[in-house]
Amino acid sequence: MVAAVTAWWRSGGSSQPSSSHSVTTPRAPPLPMGVLVPGHWYCPTAADYASQIQAKVGSTSLKAWDALHQDGNGNFSQAFPYLGSKVTLTGPPGADGTRPLRVVETRRCESSAELRRRWRFALIRHPLRRLASAYHDKVVIERCIYEPFKWVCGLPPERRWRAFVGEVVAGRFRDVHVVSQADGLLGSHVHTREMPLHALIRIEQLDAWWPYVLKCSRYRGSASEGALLHANSKPANYSEYFQDKELLAQLMQHSLREERWFGYSAVEVASSPAVAQ
């Protein structure tokens, strides 16, 4: 089963896991090897998996899952982002109408020995959708309260998206929310010859694969208890960000390596005529 999932992510993935886990799509280039750094992995207390987390790639949901399964956090039901490896948990309002809040530290892996015995995976996301999501969250929704994005809100609204794309494509703006996922994986050195990833899972398919992740990591709770909480979800029509053909061409060139590595296509987020032109 593990070999089948490894072949799945190398092949670019299918729409959802099948009962046979058959692989029919062409293989993508293998992920380069790195040097193991245990501190770049997260090892939850309630399941024997280890995950590498990147900003805007389901990081809050995975950190929330660990936090909610730590002792004493069972009465919380929602989660929101916090700095670094921490996450904010909230619960239903009390008698006075206020909601309880608790900031919880997500558990990092402590050693190579711990990593060796765990089921190891990382999440990826369509690079264009991830970039638009970072802009939408930090600029449109949060109005640049996050310090690295403040320069964007200093521009006239009609210039912000174009200027943002220009700085990212030119490599002058390299915040963790926009840096290449491929660079993030290599920079974190999460894939080694001695301990390769068992799976590289698309966040767009994480719901379908989550029960399998828990099975591989020997989670002992019920299916309902182990459900993945969708934290920090801000729905948006990201296709609106890809109407300008000039900007789309720049972004397609910028994300070409990630699309080839991970089996994505620009037509998944932008209209086919725009991509063709």
Side-chain angles (χ1 to χ4, degrees):
M1 295 290 279
V2 169
V5 176
T6 303
W8 167 79
W9 72 254
R10 285 177 176 165
S11 72
S14 56
S15 58
Q16 60 181 7
S18 63
S19 57
S20 62
H21 294 280
S22 60
V23 175
T24 58
T25 51
R27 282 177 176 264
L31 192 67
M33 298 291 180
V35 178
L36 182 66
V37 180
H40 290 295
W41 294 77
Y42 291 84
C43 289
T45 55
D48 291 333
Y49 70 70
S51 62
Q52 188 268 355
I53 293 178
Q54 297 194 69
K56 300 308 301 175
V57 193
S59 58
T60 303
S61 294
L62 288 182
K63 287 186 285 187
W65 192 92
D66 178 21
L68 288 169
H69 285 78
Q70 293 180 18
D71 291 341
N73 293 334
N75 59 326
F76 293 90
S77 56
Q78 292 180 298
F80 299 94
Y82 199 82
L83 297 176
S85 59
K86 297 178 180 179
V87 66
T88 302
L89 300 182
T90 69
D96 60 354
T98 60
R99 292 179 177 273
L101 290 176
R102 179 178 295 175
V103 176
V104 180
E105 181 84 28
T106 304
R107 184 179 181 275
R108 291 181 181 269
C109 305
E110 297 178 347
S111 66
S112 298
E114 180 178 25
L115 268 176
R116 187 170 284 108
R117 67 177 177 79
R118 286 179 175 253
W119 196 79
R120 300 172 296 278
F121 75 97
L123 297 180
I124 53 173
R125 185 179 186 181
H126 195 296
L128 298 185
R129 187 178 288 115
R130 176 173 178 255
L131 188 64
S133 175
Y135 177 88
H136 185 79
D137 285 5
K138 301 303 179 186
V139 178
V140 178
I141 302 297
E142 299 176 8
R143 299 184 183 277
C144 302
I145 59 173
Y146 175 60
E147 184 67 32
F149 279 73
K150 283 189 179 297
W151 67 272
V152 184
C153 287
L155 301 172
E158 66 275 9
R159 289 181 49 200
R160 290 174 183 172
W161 172 242
R162 178 177 292 274
F164 175 78
V165 170
E167 293 299 300
V168 170
V169 169
R172 292 187 292 266
F173 184 56
R174 291 183 56 80
D175 178 73
V176 294
H177 293 83
V178 302
V179 70
S180 162
Q181 295 167 91
D183 290 344
L185 287 170
L186 296 179
S188 297
H189 305 305
V190 300
H191 189 61
T192 70
R193 194 172 304 280
E194 293 77 18
M195 283 186 282
L197 290 171
H198 293 103
L200 192 60
I201 303 175
R202 295 182 180 185
I203 190 175
E204 296 88 351
Q205 300 167 356
L206 182 57
D207 280 338
W209 281 101
W210 189 246
Y212 184 72
V213 171
L214 295 183
K215 179 180 179 181
C216 289
S217 56
R218 296 184 291 276
Y219 175 68
R220 291 167 290 280
S222 65
S224 59
E225 292 172 337
L228 187 65
L229 177 67
H230 291 275
N232 197 29
S233 178
K234 301 183 182 73
N237 180 15
Y238 295 126
S239 63
E240 295 180 355
Y241 289 102
F242 306 114
Q243 301 299 315
D244 186 298
K245 292 189 287 291
E246 178 186 347
L247 288 184
L248 178 59
Q250 293 179 38
L251 288 168
M252 288 173 63
Q253 182 64 36
H254 176 70
S255 64
L256 186 60
R257 179 177 63 154
E258 286 187 89
E259 290 188 14
R260 287 178 173 174
W261 274 24
F262 305 141
Y264 285 110
S265 170
V267 297
E268 297 176 51
V269 297
S271 67
S272 296
V275 172
Q277 293 177 36

